[in-house]
């Protein structure tokens, strides 16, 4: 494989990456598996949401998605061929416990057991996410994440998975992006379960973090040798102008997006500035923070997972929402197909800031990537030069972070392949492998060939 001439390689010196660096690709269960009603899988909130007219673009659902459930071996071969040494996937809770509690569905566990064995046979380290948003619908019917029982049920489910797979899986991520699950799902309703209530979203966020703590305990108990952490979606904030008002607004936005999750995970409890702004919607005033919760949410973890796609540029906006701030769109910047600003420097800044403020034992970029409107050429190829450059710039941005002391230990490209992009359905493609959803044919894009070539050249894909 060669690096296409149209995309000069801006990487400084890839050999500076530490040995045993995890180089991977990432996916999530509902986005790729399909087989929504097979082998005893129960319905999740995303089945309900996607089947509700008007919720997902073009009425798309994850019923079939990438049909990964039926194409497991071929997809594992594809992962191996890319030359990555790690693969991040998520377990669908409703495959393991169709109603979220009670008896285990062995067929569901068997699928993930085969997946894990298939990875290990191919020399790829499994990274298992316990929750990537597909909550069993039966639990939602009893209040979902707004009630504490869901966190308790999540702890039980985590114990089951760790017990069954912990002999082979050494890396567990408890929750993927609690901010999205809570705020997009219960606050503004653009994700499942589609509720619009600020207080509910903070109840959900609290129980997601309590669930995280319980899952950490469950993994420690049932897979004592494994590493465990959480994945947060973090965006470094920058003031639109260098005024005290914009700087203060940026700090508030940072509290909402980043510190609300980072502080409790690192044992600091909730940031008081945001508690004050939330008023009645805060979990404290709602009476949801029980004695011991600060310790539970702050259980020691082995790594911090970070999903990073962009940055935020913020201005003061009195009266706007509870944060009195607004995101602005720097006109001179480059944007992806989601209208997210391409901001690789902010990845460097974020890594250094996380190390300075929270000192995690290790940081893994568990997602980073971009959507662009891909074109399939007559020969079937996809020359996604912009996505390729996005990856190059962001991988390159890790180098100064490492040099500055950030303990970055791995990077996962989002995503292995085009998939069900939540409310956007199949329109927004993030894959480094193209999927023809009519035929399910997979074609490695230029970005995938670049990544493969990069890994081969640096030998970083060997020996994790
Ligand atoms: C993240 C999600 C992931 C994917 C990317 C684009 O927020 O974790 O599933 O949708 O965004």
């Amino acid at each position: 494989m060669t690096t296409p001439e149209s995309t000069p390689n801006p990487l400084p010196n890839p050999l500076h990456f530490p040995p045993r660096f995890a180089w991977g690709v990432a996916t999530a269960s509902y986005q790729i598996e399909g087989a929504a009603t097979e082998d005893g899988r129960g319905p999740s909130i995303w089945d309900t949401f996607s089947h509700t007219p008007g919720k997902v673009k073009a009425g798309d659902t994850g019923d079939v998605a990438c049909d990964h459930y039926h194409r497991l071996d071929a997809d594992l071969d594809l992962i191996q061929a890319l030359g990555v040494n790690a693969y991040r996937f998520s377990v669908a809770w409703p495959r393991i416990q169709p109603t979220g509690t009670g008896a285990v569905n062995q067929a569901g566990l068997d699928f993930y057991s085969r997946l894990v064995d298939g990875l290990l046979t191919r020399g790829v380290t499994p990274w298992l996410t316990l929750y990537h948003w597909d909550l069993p619908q039966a639990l939602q019917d009893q209040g979902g994440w707004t009630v504490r029982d869901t966190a308790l049920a999540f702890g039980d489910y985590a114990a089951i998975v760790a017990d069954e797979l912990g002999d082979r899986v050494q890396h567990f991520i408890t929750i993927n992006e609690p901010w999205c699950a809570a705020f997009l799902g219960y606050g503004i309703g653009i994700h499942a379960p589609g509720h619009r209530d600020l207080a509910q979203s903070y109840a959900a966020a609290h129980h997601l973090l309590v669930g995280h703590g319980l899952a950490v305990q469950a993994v420690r108990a049932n897979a004592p040798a494994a590493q465990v952490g959480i994945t947060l979606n973090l965006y470094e904030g920058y003031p639109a102008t260098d005024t005290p008002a914009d700087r203060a607004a940026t700090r508030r936005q940072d509290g909402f997006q980043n510190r609300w999750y980072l502080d409790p995970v690192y044992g600091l409890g909730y940031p008081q500035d945001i508690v004050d702004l939330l008023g009645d919607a805060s979990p404290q005033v709602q009476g949801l923070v029980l004695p011991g919760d600060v310790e539970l949410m702050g259980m020691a973890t082995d790594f911090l997972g970070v999903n990073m796609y962009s940055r935020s540029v913020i201005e003061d906006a009195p009266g706007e929402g509870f944060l009195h701030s607004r995101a602005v769109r720097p006109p001179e910047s480059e944007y992806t197909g989601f209208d997210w600003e391409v901001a690789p420097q902010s990845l460097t800044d974020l890594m250094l800031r996380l190390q300075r403020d929270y000192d995690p034992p290790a940081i893994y970029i568990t997602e980073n990537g971009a959507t662009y409107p891909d074109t399939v050429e007559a020969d079937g190829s996809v020359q996604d030069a912009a996505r390729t450059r996005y990856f190059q710039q962001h991988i390159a941005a890790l180098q100064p972070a490492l040099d500055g002391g950030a303990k970055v230990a791995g990077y996962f490209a989002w995503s292995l392949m085009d998939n069900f992009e939540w409310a956007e359905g199949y329109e927004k493609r993030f894959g480094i492998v193209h999927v023809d959803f009519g035929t399910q044919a997979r074609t490695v894009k230029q970005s995938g060939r670049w990544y493969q070539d990069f890994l081969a050249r640096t030998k970083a894909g060997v020996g994790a």
Side-chain angles (χ1 to χ4, degrees):
M1 298 291 163
T2 53
T3 303
E5 280 169 18
S6 56
T7 56
N9 183 352
L11 294 173
N13 180 355
L15 295 176
H16 282 173
F17 285 103
R20 301 174 61 80
F21 199 83
W23 290 107
V25 284
T27 62
S29 47
Y30 189 71
Q31 295 182 276
I32 65 165
E33 286 177 1
T37 57
E38 281 178 53
D39 291 343
R41 178 185 180 277
S44 79
I45 55 174
W46 270 97
D47 295 277
T48 308
F49 190 75
S50 66
H51 280 270
T52 307
K55 298 297 186 192
V56 174
K57 257 192 203 148
D60 290 341
T61 75
D63 288 1
V64 178
C66 305
D67 198 31
H68 172 70
Y69 192 79
H70 296 124
R71 293 164 195 268
L72 180 62
D73 287 327
D75 285 343
L76 293 175
D77 288 345
L78 181 62
I79 291 165
Q80 183 182 35
L82 287 170
V84 295
N85 60 26
Y87 174 58
R88 173 177 178 235
F89 63 97
S90 79
V91 172
W93 186 351
R95 285 199 195 283
I96 308 302
Q97 290 174 295
T99 58
T101 56
V104 172
N105 175 40
Q106 191 58 43
L109 274 178
D110 290 347
F111 171 72
Y112 295 106
S113 194
R114 279 197 287 126
L115 195 166
V116 166
D117 288 345
L119 288 170
L120 293 172
T121 305
R122 289 168 178 80
V124 178
T125 302
W127 279 68
L128 186 156
T129 304
L130 286 161
Y131 186 73
H132 202 126
W133 306 353
D134 36 8
L135 182 72
Q137 180 61 41
L139 292 182
Q140 183 55 45
D141 295 342
Q142 294 156 44
W145 287 109
T146 67
V147 300
R148 196 173 178 96
D149 278 354
T150 295
L152 305 183
F154 180 67
D156 294 344
Y157 151 74
I160 294 167
V161 176
D163 189 39
E164 175 79 14
L165 301 178
D167 56 336
R168 288 155 288 158
V169 175
Q170 295 298 296
H171 300 90
F172 286 85
I173 294 167
T174 55
I175 304 268
N176 179 73
E177 300 188 351
W179 179 89
C180 285
F183 190 67
L184 303 184
Y186 293 86
I188 59 171
I190 62 170
H191 280 188
H195 296 191
R196 290 182 193 182
D197 184 300
L198 189 66
Q200 271 196 31
S201 80
Y202 277 85
H206 181 62
H207 296 132
L208 282 155
L209 288 169
V210 168
H212 155 72
L214 292 169
V216 170
Q217 288 181 331
V219 172
R220 297 261 185 255
N222 288 0
Q227 305 210 331
V228 59
I230 191 171
T231 279
L232 304 178
N233 54 318
L234 304 176
Y235 299 90
E236 196 62 357
Y238 301 82
T241 67
D242 194 24
T243 57
D246 283 355
R247 282 204 302 272
T250 304
R251 175 83 184 153
R252 295 193 295 276
Q253 168 68 26
D254 181 64
F256 166 71
Q257 178 77 53
N258 304 323
R259 288 182 288 120
W260 189 262
Y261 301 91
L262 284 162
D263 283 10
V265 164
Y266 284 93
L268 305 171
Y270 290 113
Q272 192 59 42
D273 56 338
I274 305 301
V275 174
D276 293 344
L277 285 168
L278 283 170
D280 289 350
S282 73
Q284 289 83 349
V285 175
Q286 294 190 63
L288 302 174
V289 184
L290 304 189
D293 277 3
V294 171
E295 292 72 24
L296 192 53
M297 297 187 290
M299 293 274 308
T301 48
D302 301 300
F303 62 85
L304 175 64
V306 176
N307 292 354
M308 182 276 178
Y309 288 91
S310 188
R311 66 169 181 163
S312 20
V313 179
I314 301 296
E315 68 182 8
D316 185 40
E320 187 121 335
F322 75 96
L323 293 170
H324 307 281
S325 68
R326 183 187 303 130
V328 300
R329 187 181 189 278
E332 70 285 359
S333 294
E334 198 189 317
Y335 291 85
T336 70
F338 243 142
D339 214 24
W340 293 347
E341 186 184 356
V342 178
Q345 171 67 44
S346 75
L347 180 59
T348 311
D349 295 346
L350 176 65
M351 294 297 105
L352 292 170
R353 173 263 177 113
L354 290 172
Q355 201 65 56
R356 186 191 66 223
D357 289 357
Y358 299 97
D359 200 22
I363 305 175
Y364 291 88
I365 308 300
T366 42
E367 288 180 27
N368 173 245
T371 182
Y372 289 100
D374 293 329
T375 310
V376 182
E377 306 294 336
D379 65 358
S381 68
V382 177
Q383 304 298 324
D384 56 339
R387 183 179 292 106
T388 305
R389 229 160 59 82
Y390 181 99
F391 284 124
Q392 292 171 338
Q393 290 172 322
H394 286 78
I395 290 172
L398 295 176
Q399 189 69 71
L402 282 161
D403 295 345
K407 295 177 183 163
V408 187
Y411 175 93
F412 293 77
W414 182 272
S415 179
L416 165 65
M417 56 187 162
D418 297 334
N419 57 48
F420 177 78
E421 178 45 42
W422 309 114
E424 302 295 321
Y426 295 98
E427 193 191 286
K428 292 280 187 280
R429 294 173 176 269
F430 274 90
I432 63 172
V433 174
H434 178 267
V435 176
D436 178 327
F437 291 105
T439 63
Q440 292 293 348
R442 278 87 159 123
T443 307
V444 181
K445 300 180 192 176
Q446 180 193 58
S447 56
R449 287 190 286 105
W450 174 80
Y451 195 41
Q452 185 179 41
D453 183 53
F454 163 72
L455 296 178
R457 277 185 290 113
T458 60
K459 300 269 189 276
V462 179

